[in-house]
Amino acid sequence: MRTQTIALACHRLGLPTSFAKGAHLLPADISGPLETTLVRSTDETELRRALLAAATALAAELTRTDPNLAGRLRPILTELATTT
């Protein structure tokens, strides 16, 4: 999900999308929040935290790209990331 969010942001800004080649060119207001999506350990709590952060980042990028689609997907992404 994190990789696709980066690719979507890169595409929106006209940056290279393959293999996250444009990731380092993203503005700090986009790349900064993506740091919270990195997994720091493999315990369940941490994995769930990172998944929720990734879902939140994707929803934010979708809002920038297509607000209508973001509105429809946000509840699904939230449910996916918070279901136990």
Side-chain angles (χ1 to χ4, degrees):
M1 191 180 307
R2 179 180 192 277
T3 302
Q4 294 306 311
T5 302
I6 291 170
L8 185 60
C10 287
H11 179 72
R12 179 175 57 83
L13 296 173
L15 301 172
T17 59
S18 299
F19 305 103
K21 288 184 179 178
H24 70 287
L25 301 171
L26 289 171
D29 65 321
I30 295 171
S31 62
L34 288 170
E35 289 185 26
T36 64
T37 66
L38 295 171
V39 177
R40 298 175 288 215
S41 71
T42 57
D43 67 83
E44 183 178 350
T45 301
E46 173 58 15
L47 292 173
R48 288 188 179 280
R49 184 212 56 80
L51 178 60
L52 181 58
T56 301
L58 177 57
E61 184 54 38
L62 283 171
T63 298
R64 293 181 195 99
T65 306
D66 186 340
N68 187 33
L69 179 60
R72 293 192 328 256
L73 291 180
R74 186 180 314 272
I76 297 166
L77 290 169
T78 301
E79 182 180 348
L80 170 73
T82 58
T83 302
T84 56

